[in-house]
Amino acid sequence: VLGHRKTVGLSAAVKADGYRLVDGSYQYGRMLTVDLKEPEELFKDTHERLDNRSRLFEAAIDIDYGELERLKALIKEMSMNGCHVVVFLPPFPDEIYNRMLNDDNWKFFLSKFEKSVKDCCAEANVQFFDFSNVLWVGSNDNECLDGFHGSEMTYTKIVKAMLSDKAFAEYIDKDYSNYVLEHPVNRF
């Protein structure tokens, strides 16, 4: 237990770094308070994954249509249960996104995936936001935690960009979001 939150593993308890049991999210702890590494070091692992085409960066010539059908079914079920559905694609750092866009192993897959999700949302009449590149939301590579995760700053900008969805906007404290962006503890 770390504070009032249960954690998984010794690292999570000692370094405030690791997975939380309650919601399954990752707590970045020391990285956000002590180890403010530069993007070159933070992206190293993702570049290695791209080089080796491994660990979530396997190259593909086509999208998985079965997974797209699962997304459609999830959207339909949520809508039928009265949920207001908003779909977004989370961002890659600009450096990583552009590397993939300029590589035949990923560029066609990326564009087809983004278009397919957009079309799926249009068909289901749900709001869709494409934030595949951090630059598109006003963030930058320096605000990324690694080669495929944005920081709290990045996600606050994403939430602000999604305020055009009126139903979503009702649940957002806009003043607090602005305050957080104007008074960051650090770049993350």
Side-chain angles (χ1 to χ4, degrees), residues 2 7-19 26-32 35:
L2 179 63
T7 56
V8 177
L10 188 58
S11 179
V14 174
K15 299 178 181 177
D17 198 39
Y19 292 95
Y26 192 85
Q27 180 173 308
Y28 287 90
R30 291 178 64 166
M31 178 182 191
L32 299 178
D35 299 331

Side-chain angles (χ1 to χ4, degrees), residues 16-157:
D17 198 39
Y19 292 95
R20 289 184 270 186
L21 290 175
V22 178
D23 62 6
S25 64
Y26 192 85
Q27 180 173 308
Y28 287 90
R30 291 178 64 166
M31 178 182 191
L32 299 178
T33 58
V34 179
D35 299 331
L36 298 178
K37 297 174 182 166
E38 294 303 311
E40 179 179 294
E41 186 176 356
L42 294 173
F43 300 171
K44 183 179 178 192
D45 179 63
T46 303
H47 279 295
E48 288 173 3
R49 291 174 184 216
L50 287 164
D51 291 341
N52 299 324
R53 292 162 176 68
S54 64
R55 298 184 296 138
L56 302 178
F57 288 92
E58 294 84 359
I61 56 172
D62 208 351
I63 63 174
D64 185 335
Y65 291 97
E67 290 299 314
L68 188 60
E69 289 303 317
R70 288 181 62 197
L71 174 61
K72 289 178 183 179
L74 176 62
I75 291 171
K76 182 178 179 181
E77 181 178 344
M78 291 176 70
S79 296
M80 287 175 40
N81 285 312
C83 296
H84 176 77
V85 180
V86 177
V87 175
F88 74 96
L89 295 180
F92 287 104
D94 181 58
E95 177 181 322
I96 301 298
Y97 188 77
N98 279 314
R99 177 175 172 187
M100 290 189 294
L101 274 186
N102 291 306
D103 187 311
D104 288 340
N105 290 298
W106 291 281
K107 70 180 174 184
F108 300 111
F109 172 83
L110 276 178
S111 61
K112 193 168 192 176
F113 174 73
E114 291 165 358
K115 183 180 181 331
S116 295
V117 174
K118 180 180 179 180
D119 291 348
C120 170
C121 292
E123 181 183 312
N125 198 30
V126 298
Q127 182 73 48
F128 170 71
F129 295 93
D130 187 354
F131 301 123
S132 295
N133 185 321
V134 293
L135 297 182
W136 301 351
V137 72
S139 191
N140 60 65
D141 288 0
N142 203 39
E143 291 180 355
C144 293
L145 299 173
D146 57 28
F148 54 103
H149 291 100
S151 65
E152 292 178 14
M153 291 290 288
T154 301
Y155 276 89
T156 301
K157 291 174 182 178

Side-chain angles (χ1 to χ4, degrees), residues 153 179-188:
M153 291 290 288
Y179 177 83
V180 167
L181 291 173
E182 292 167 8
H183 301 92
V185 174
N186 60 45
R187 72 181 201 248
F188 296 134

